[in-house]
Amino acid sequence: MAGFWGKRKRDEQELQAQDADLAKRAGSALVAADERVRVTTDELVFAEAELGPDATAELRVALSAVRQHLGEAFRLNQLNHDEIPDTAEELRSRNARIAQLCEWAQDVLDERTSALADKIARARRAPEIIAGVRADAARLRARIPHARDTVERLAARYAREALAQVEANPAEAEQLLGFAEHSASVAERRREAGQREQANLALEASTESVRRAATLLDAVETFEVEALRAESTLAAIVEDSRGDLVVALKEPQTPGVTTAIAELRAALATLPPGGVNTDPFAQLSTLRDANAGLDAAIAAARERAARPIPPLEHVRHAIDDADRQLAVARDVIAGHRGWIGADARTRLAESERIRIDLDRYLGTSAAAATVIDEDHREQAMAMARRVAYLAAEALQLAQRDIDSSRPQDPGQWGGQGWGGGRRGGGGSDVMGGILGGLVIGGLLDGMFD
């Protein structure tokens, strides 16, 4: 007994220590959150001055919500220290809630202020960024003549369709750089006039325009290199394609292989002669697709050769067998409905469903079909065999149900069971099982009573 009371005292002391620690953490969190609200309020004033009210709207809303929830935390803390005595559980619950509210407040303010941090830093560096925009624009302008020369050189070698993606890049880059320089000037003037929000929008437009101009000029240089690579790759693929045609002619000439060979030959025939401006990217894509089609057709032909097509007679036999099995199972289950359980009925339903799908797959009644395309025979045979298997399983399960439901005493099939004065005798059970349903079974009980 002394050990029990000692353990209980230690538990109480430990709980009191935990409550004291929670109260301390709640108080510290409340002070930190309140101070964070004050600091963020000052930051909001500066952010609005730098970015304008629209950019800081989310932070303003967040501050309002945080103040409201911190008001609840202060009210809970006041209840902890008023003149009304509180239980330990009440204090514990309030302190936990205070800590939760303060943690939420800190998280919300962290999220909103971090979203503005980059924009504020950018606004503070506006003069430096404007100078950088002008320097970048001048540097990119010096690249425009070279880009125009490159496009002219490419036009002498490649088709107009191939150059469509970069032909207008030098002119577009020049327009973007002019807009960037104008936007930088606007940003500078608006900032000097105290219109910080408009200044920041203009600054973002100028930096984005410079970035896009650089991308357009880089694309011209990249196109020249990639076009040369495409030409080199095209020559290798042409050689490979001619070798693939030689190999393909030695493969089993299925309809798929014959079609793929014709498509690859057509793709090779469309290649322009030497000295004609070409589009190596489009030609490479066409040849690649034709080669992939030939590879797929050969793989399918080899797989088919390794797995011979079932003769039409075998498929017909499989369908006939499936129909016979299905008919037997259907008749047995229909004739003994009162005894047949869920398993047999489920197998029969699935067998009938697949049989219907088989007709749909062949596009006609499988039983009446006189011709089945070679491409459909294997699948049709597999479906027919599945129908037969499920029907046979349904028949087996139905027979199990019938055997388990029949009376074990042969005398129950006649004698007293057929009017011997015993209510619910074997005769009525047998007829109820054969005809199916509890209602019919009950009627028979009355008839034979």
Side-chain angles (χ1 to χ4, degrees):
M1 183 62 71
F4 170 77
W5 289 112
K7 182 177 183 303
R8 182 174 180 180
K9 184 176 181 180
R10 287 194 300 272
D11 291 344
E12 290 177 353
Q13 291 174 346
E14 182 177 352
L15 184 59
Q16 290 174 359
Q18 292 175 355
D19 288 343
D21 180 65
L22 178 59
K24 183 178 179 181
R25 285 191 291 111
S28 299
L30 191 57
V31 171
D34 182 59
E35 188 61 26
R36 178 64 185 279
V37 168
R38 297 174 187 276
V39 171
T40 305
T41 301
D42 295 338
E43 292 177 349
L44 176 61
V45 174
F46 174 78
E48 286 182 344
E50 288 290 333
L51 306 176
D54 291 342
T56 57
E58 291 187 359
L59 178 58
R60 192 181 311 107
V61 172
L63 265 175
S64 177
V66 165
R67 288 193 185 99
Q68 181 180 353
H69 285 77
L70 278 186
E72 178 186 348
F74 278 117
R75 286 192 296 272
L76 292 174
N77 195 48
Q78 177 60 35
L79 291 175
N80 287 344
H81 297 88
D82 62 14
E83 67 280 0
I84 302 175
D86 299 307
T87 65
E89 180 62 30
E90 288 175 334
L91 290 171
R92 189 180 305 121
S93 176
R94 290 173 189 156
N95 287 328
R97 177 61 176 165
I98 290 171
Q100 181 186 31
L101 289 170
C102 292
E103 181 180 0
W104 172 84
Q106 294 276 20
D107 290 343
V108 169
L109 294 181
D110 284 343
E111 180 182 356
R112 294 295 184 267
T113 54
S114 62
L116 291 176
D118 291 340
K119 292 182 178 180
I120 293 174
R122 188 180 184 84
R124 289 172 174 172
R125 296 176 49 244
E128 177 185 347
I129 294 174
I130 291 173
V133 165
R134 286 172 173 156
D136 290 340
R139 176 178 54 81
L140 292 173
R141 277 190 182 281
R143 292 178 53 187
I144 291 178
H146 176 70
R148 286 198 174 101
D149 293 341
T150 301
V151 170
E152 291 179 5
R153 184 171 63 252
L154 293 173
R157 183 178 182 87
Y158 300 109
R160 184 70 177 271
E161 296 78 13
L163 285 175
Q165 53 185 304
V166 297
E167 186 177 21
N169 284 18
E172 292 179 3
E174 188 171 20
Q175 291 178 354
L176 285 169
L177 292 177
F179 179 75
E181 291 169 340
H182 174 71
S183 298
S185 299
V186 171
E188 199 169 41
R189 291 195 300 270
R190 292 294 185 271
R191 187 171 181 82
E192 291 173 354
Q195 299 172 338
R196 299 300 178 87
E197 185 173 3
Q198 296 179 11
N200 291 325
L201 291 175
L203 185 59
E204 290 179 6
S206 65
T207 55
E208 174 63 15
S209 298
V210 168
R211 186 194 65 78
R212 289 178 56 193
T215 301
L216 290 173
L217 295 175
D218 290 341
V220 174
E221 306 296 333
T222 302
F223 178 88
E224 185 173 26
V225 175
E226 294 302 324
L228 291 173
R229 288 179 178 174
E231 285 189 274
S232 176
T233 304
L234 180 63
I237 287 186
V238 167
E239 184 178 354
D240 291 343
S241 298
R242 289 169 178 156
D244 291 342
L245 287 174
V246 174
V247 174
L249 292 173
K250 299 177 182 178
E251 296 290 336
Q253 296 301 296
T254 64
V257 172
T258 303
T259 301
I261 289 175
E263 291 177 352
L264 182 54
R265 282 175 171 168
L268 289 171
T270 60
L271 294 177
V276 177
N277 289 4
T278 63
D279 183 353
F281 301 103
Q283 294 164 2
L284 190 59
S285 178
T286 301
L287 273 183
R288 187 182 294 114
D289 292 343
N291 268 283
L294 181 58
D295 291 341
I298 291 175
R302 289 175 178 175
E303 182 181 0
R304 172 57 63 193
R307 189 178 65 253
I309 299 173
L312 179 59
E313 304 80 49
H314 291 186
V315 180
R316 297 287 311 129
H317 293 160
I319 294 173
D320 292 342
D321 177 56
D323 288 342
R324 284 195 299 271
Q325 290 279 2
L326 188 57
V328 172
R330 189 184 290 125
D331 290 344
V332 170
I333 291 175
H336 300 80
R337 295 197 308 272
W339 290 342
I340 305 303
D343 290 344
R345 294 170 186 265
T346 300
R347 301 302 192 282
L348 177 63
E350 181 65 8
S351 179
E352 290 175 331
R353 184 191 67 80
I354 297 176
R355 183 62 183 83
I356 293 172
D357 287 346
L358 176 57
D359 285 344
R360 291 174 178 168
Y361 177 71
L362 296 178
T364 183
S365 171
T370 57
V371 177
I372 299 177
D373 187 83
E374 291 184 354
D375 292 337
H376 296 126
R377 290 181 188 176
E378 187 173 7
Q379 179 65 15
M381 177 174 280
M383 295 175 73
R385 287 175 175 173
R386 182 63 177 165
V387 170
Y389 173 81
L390 288 169
E393 194 173 15
L395 182 61
Q396 181 182 6
L397 293 169
Q399 190 63 51
R400 180 199 65 184
D401 294 339
I402 293 170
D403 293 341
S404 64
S405 300
R406 280 174 176 164
Q408 299 301 314
D409 183 1
Q412 290 184 274
W413 290 95
Q416 296 180 353
W418 288 95
R422 183 176 58 181
R423 181 172 179 81
S428 65
D429 288 341
V430 171
M431 292 303 294
I434 292 174
L435 296 179
L438 297 177
V439 174
I440 294 178
L443 291 174
L444 289 173
D445 281 343
M447 291 171 59
F448 290 116
D449 188 7

PDB file of all heavy atoms in Angstrom, residues 17 36 79 81 93 184 203 236 263 328:
ATOM      1  N   ALA A  17       4.695  19.350 -12.529  1.00  0.00           N
ATOM      2  CA  ALA A  17       5.865  19.908 -13.205  1.00  0.00           C
ATOM      3  C   ALA A  17       5.561  20.156 -14.679  1.00  0.00           C
ATOM      4  O   ALA A  17       5.960  21.182 -15.263  1.00  0.00           O
ATOM      5  CB  ALA A  17       7.058  18.959 -13.065  1.00  0.00           C
ATOM      6  N   ARG A  36       5.835  39.926 -32.175  1.00  0.00           N
ATOM      7  CA  ARG A  36       5.919  39.695 -33.619  1.00  0.00           C
ATOM      8  C   ARG A  36       4.863  40.505 -34.355  1.00  0.00           C
ATOM      9  O   ARG A  36       5.117  41.040 -35.449  1.00  0.00           O
ATOM     10  CB  ARG A  36       5.736  38.199 -33.903  1.00  0.00           C
ATOM     11  CG  ARG A  36       5.768  37.856 -35.392  1.00  0.00           C
ATOM     12  CD  ARG A  36       7.143  38.182 -35.998  1.00  0.00           C
ATOM     13  NE  ARG A  36       7.161  37.963 -37.422  1.00  0.00           N
ATOM     14  CZ  ARG A  36       7.313  36.788 -38.016  1.00  0.00           C
ATOM     15  NH1 ARG A  36       7.451  35.685 -37.267  1.00  0.00           N
ATOM     16  NH2 ARG A  36       7.344  36.686 -39.307  1.00  0.00           N
ATOM     17  N   LEU A  79      -8.091  34.783 -17.729  1.00  0.00           N
ATOM     18  CA  LEU A  79      -8.864  33.844 -16.907  1.00  0.00           C
ATOM     19  C   LEU A  79      -7.961  33.032 -15.994  1.00  0.00           C
ATOM     20  O   LEU A  79      -8.356  32.656 -14.879  1.00  0.00           O
ATOM     21  CB  LEU A  79      -9.677  32.903 -17.810  1.00  0.00           C
ATOM     22  CG  LEU A  79     -10.836  33.534 -18.587  1.00  0.00           C
ATOM     23  CD1 LEU A  79     -11.468  32.504 -19.517  1.00  0.00           C
ATOM     24  CD2 LEU A  79     -11.890  34.074 -17.613  1.00  0.00           C
ATOM     25  N   HIS A  81      -5.506  34.119 -14.447  1.00  0.00           N
ATOM     26  CA  HIS A  81      -4.962  34.942 -13.362  1.00  0.00           C
ATOM     27  C   HIS A  81      -6.029  35.793 -12.675  1.00  0.00           C
ATOM     28  O   HIS A  81      -5.693  36.726 -11.934  1.00  0.00           O
ATOM     29  CB  HIS A  81      -3.849  35.852 -13.910  1.00  0.00           C
ATOM     30  CG  HIS A  81      -2.673  35.104 -14.447  1.00  0.00           C
ATOM     31  ND1 HIS A  81      -2.606  34.683 -15.754  1.00  0.00           N
ATOM     32  CD2 HIS A  81      -1.526  34.678 -13.844  1.00  0.00           C
ATOM     33  CE1 HIS A  81      -1.465  34.044 -15.948  1.00  0.00           C
ATOM     34  NE2 HIS A  81      -0.786  34.028 -14.804  1.00  0.00           N
ATOM     35  N   SER A  93      -5.846  23.157 -20.028  1.00  0.00           N
ATOM     36  CA  SER A  93      -6.532  23.323 -21.305  1.00  0.00           C
ATOM     37  C   SER A  93      -6.327  24.730 -21.868  1.00  0.00           C
ATOM     38  O   SER A  93      -6.071  24.912 -23.066  1.00  0.00           O
ATOM     39  CB  SER A  93      -8.028  23.038 -21.117  1.00  0.00           C
ATOM     40  OG  SER A  93      -8.742  23.272 -22.304  1.00  0.00           O
ATOM     41  N   ALA A 184      12.391  50.799 -67.844  1.00  0.00           N
ATOM     42  CA  ALA A 184      13.360  51.175 -66.811  1.00  0.00           C
ATOM     43  C   ALA A 184      13.288  52.678 -66.533  1.00  0.00           C
ATOM     44  O   ALA A 184      13.368  53.122 -65.374  1.00  0.00           O
ATOM     45  CB  ALA A 184      14.761  50.770 -67.243  1.00  0.00           C
ATOM     46  N   LEU A 203       9.466  48.168 -63.250  1.00  0.00           N
ATOM     47  CA  LEU A 203      10.758  47.508 -63.098  1.00  0.00           C
ATOM     48  C   LEU A 203      10.651  46.019 -63.426  1.00  0.00           C
ATOM     49  O   LEU A 203      11.533  45.448 -64.090  1.00  0.00           O
ATOM     50  CB  LEU A 203      11.270  47.714 -61.670  1.00  0.00           C
ATOM     51  CG  LEU A 203      12.668  47.179 -61.358  1.00  0.00           C
ATOM     52  CD1 LEU A 203      13.688  47.828 -62.276  1.00  0.00           C
ATOM     53  CD2 LEU A 203      13.018  47.428 -59.902  1.00  0.00           C
ATOM     54  N   ALA A 236      22.635   9.221 -90.500  1.00  0.00           N
ATOM     55  CA  ALA A 236      22.806   7.911 -89.869  1.00  0.00           C
ATOM     56  C   ALA A 236      21.506   7.114 -89.890  1.00  0.00           C
ATOM     57  O   ALA A 236      21.500   5.903 -90.142  1.00  0.00           O
ATOM     58  CB  ALA A 236      23.294   8.091 -88.431  1.00  0.00           C
ATOM     59  N   GLU A 263       5.509   2.205 -95.633  1.00  0.00           N
ATOM     60  CA  GLU A 263       5.579   3.534 -95.009  1.00  0.00           C
ATOM     61  C   GLU A 263       7.020   4.019 -94.883  1.00  0.00           C
ATOM     62  O   GLU A 263       7.309   5.198 -95.091  1.00  0.00           O
ATOM     63  CB  GLU A 263       4.894   3.496 -93.645  1.00  0.00           C
ATOM     64  CG  GLU A 263       3.378   3.329 -93.723  1.00  0.00           C
ATOM     65  CD  GLU A 263       2.737   3.214 -92.365  1.00  0.00           C
ATOM     66  OE1 GLU A 263       3.486   3.108 -91.369  1.00  0.00           O
ATOM     67  OE2 GLU A 263       1.488   3.230 -92.290  1.00  0.00           O
ATOM     68  N   VAL A 328     -25.835 -26.512 -70.246  1.00  0.00           N
ATOM     69  CA  VAL A 328     -26.035 -27.508 -69.188  1.00  0.00           C
ATOM     70  C   VAL A 328     -26.086 -26.845 -67.820  1.00  0.00           C
ATOM     71  O   VAL A 328     -26.980 -27.115 -66.996  1.00  0.00           O
ATOM     72  CB  VAL A 328     -24.921 -28.574 -69.245  1.00  0.00           C
ATOM     73  CG1 VAL A 328     -25.000 -29.492 -68.031  1.00  0.00           C
ATOM     74  CG2 VAL A 328     -25.011 -29.384 -70.524  1.00  0.00           C
TER      75      VAL A 328
END
